[in-house]
Amino acid sequence: MNDADTLLRVENLAVEFPAGNRGRVRAVADVSFDLARGEALGLVGESGCGKSSLARAIMQLPRPTSGTVALDGEKLTALDAANLRSLRPRFQMIFQNPAASLNPLRTIGRAIEAPLRTLGRHDAAERTRLAREMMAAVGLDPLQFYERRPSQLSGGQCQRVSIARALMTEPRLLVCDEPVSSLDVSIQAQIINLLREVQQTRGLSLLFISHDLAIVRHLCDRVAVMYLGKLCEVAPVGALFSAPRHPYSRALLAAIPRLDPKHRPAASDLLPGEPFSPMDSIEGCSFRARCPRAREDCAVQQPELCEIGAGHLVACHHPS
């Protein structure tokens, strides 16, 4: 991807957390990828693989342990607090629990106005007008909801408020950390369709984190698969779902529930063994303990992401 097309560039990103006397947990290990302007990239993997830690590191909440994050060529990881604050309107985040991300004492209208108030943009009357327009854009009647508080809203309505608040600064990048996982299925569909409409009409780039592969397939242009803090496969959405090349990606797809009660995954797509711990010092491939195709070289050399097709990258010594 050339520099003109790239909005977000992440290079060799690592995130570590202290674990008391047990040492340190490496939640994200040497992750690199690009996100194009107007593109939706899905980030998938099982719970605990580092997806949310990666998202927060991109947002500099907190800053990563090492590596760089560049937005529109500006290295966020090299900026001081004041300069980083000035760039924050360009990249916003939608959190997993919509109700918890809202101040329970603040009305919905005030919550949506808050980014403009913090940035010192416009006078009070103009902020109110813009907030009401944004509420209408995300499907909330401002006459009905402007003076309500989060406790008076459903989970789906709270998530619409979160989306409206994130869009108030006219960002170029929207990081969505499992934004529909706590919602009912029917509400999930409404929020996903809203995100898709917002992305297309506003030309946003989306980093969409989810454990639901069906939603990722519907919303995203590319998919990045994460395992134990590393990317193991990155591919266009069609290529990943039709012909996954990493055994972990195959296992994730095989685990998608099917309508046929007689369907059983192939034995080769089931994962035996126990995964390594993120606190382990792992030599070689971090997936080899569960990999049905592991060989001697997998224990010696760590596989790197290599392109095996147009835009299709795999970190595996023996891809399918």
Side-chain angles (χ1 to χ4, degrees), residues 46-49 226-229 248 271-282 285-291:
E46 59 196 326
S47 297
C49 70
M226 196 169 190
Y227 183 79
L228 269 184
Y248 180 60
L271 299 181
E274 292 292 328
F276 290 114
S277 165
M279 295 186 64
D280 292 337
S281 179
I282 304 170
C285 177
S286 58
F287 184 64
R288 70 178 188 274
R290 305 170 74 186
C291 182

Side-chain angles (χ1 to χ4, degrees), residues 134-306:
M134 188 60 72
M135 290 178 72
V138 300
L140 291 173
D141 182 357
L143 295 177
Q144 182 179 359
F145 290 100
Y146 192 88
E147 295 297 335
R148 289 192 183 184
R149 301 187 189 276
S151 60
Q152 298 173 294
L153 272 59
S154 68
Q157 290 166 345
C158 283
Q159 198 59 288
R160 290 176 185 271
V161 174
S162 298
I163 294 170
R165 182 179 58 184
L167 294 176
M168 287 297 285
T169 64
E170 300 181 351
R172 301 174 189 177
L173 169 66
L174 200 57
V175 177
C176 306
D177 186 8
E178 301 201 32
V180 297
S181 63
S182 62
L183 306 178
D184 292 339
V185 173
S186 60
I187 306 301
Q188 286 184 7
Q190 295 175 21
I191 297 301
I192 291 302
N193 289 333
L194 174 60
L195 285 172
R196 189 171 190 175
E197 179 184 352
V198 163
Q199 187 222 355
Q200 292 174 348
T201 57
R202 296 175 180 265
L204 287 172
S205 296
L206 290 184
L207 177 61
F208 187 85
I209 298 169
S210 180
H211 61 270
D212 191 323
L213 291 170
I215 291 176
V216 169
R217 187 175 193 174
H218 175 71
L219 180 67
C220 298
D221 304 301
R222 283 191 303 148
V223 186
V225 182
M226 196 169 190
Y227 183 79
L228 269 184
K230 293 178 175 289
L231 297 184
C232 59
E233 187 164 5
V234 182
V237 66
L240 185 91
F241 279 85
S242 62
R245 302 296 300 274
H246 196 282
Y248 180 60
S249 303
R250 292 177 63 89
L252 284 180
L253 293 176
I256 297 176
R258 309 293 174 90
L259 293 178
D260 183 1
K262 296 181 180 179
H263 172 78
R264 295 291 184 272
S268 59
D269 291 332
L270 300 177
L271 299 181
E274 292 292 328
F276 290 114
S277 165
M279 295 186 64
D280 292 337
S281 179
I282 304 170
E283 294 184 3
C285 177
S286 58
F287 184 64
R288 70 178 188 274
R290 305 170 74 186
C291 182
R293 296 201 299 272
R295 302 177 189 172
E296 290 184 3
D297 57 341
C298 300
V300 177
Q301 185 178 4
Q302 185 178 105
E304 301 294 334
L305 274 176
C306 297

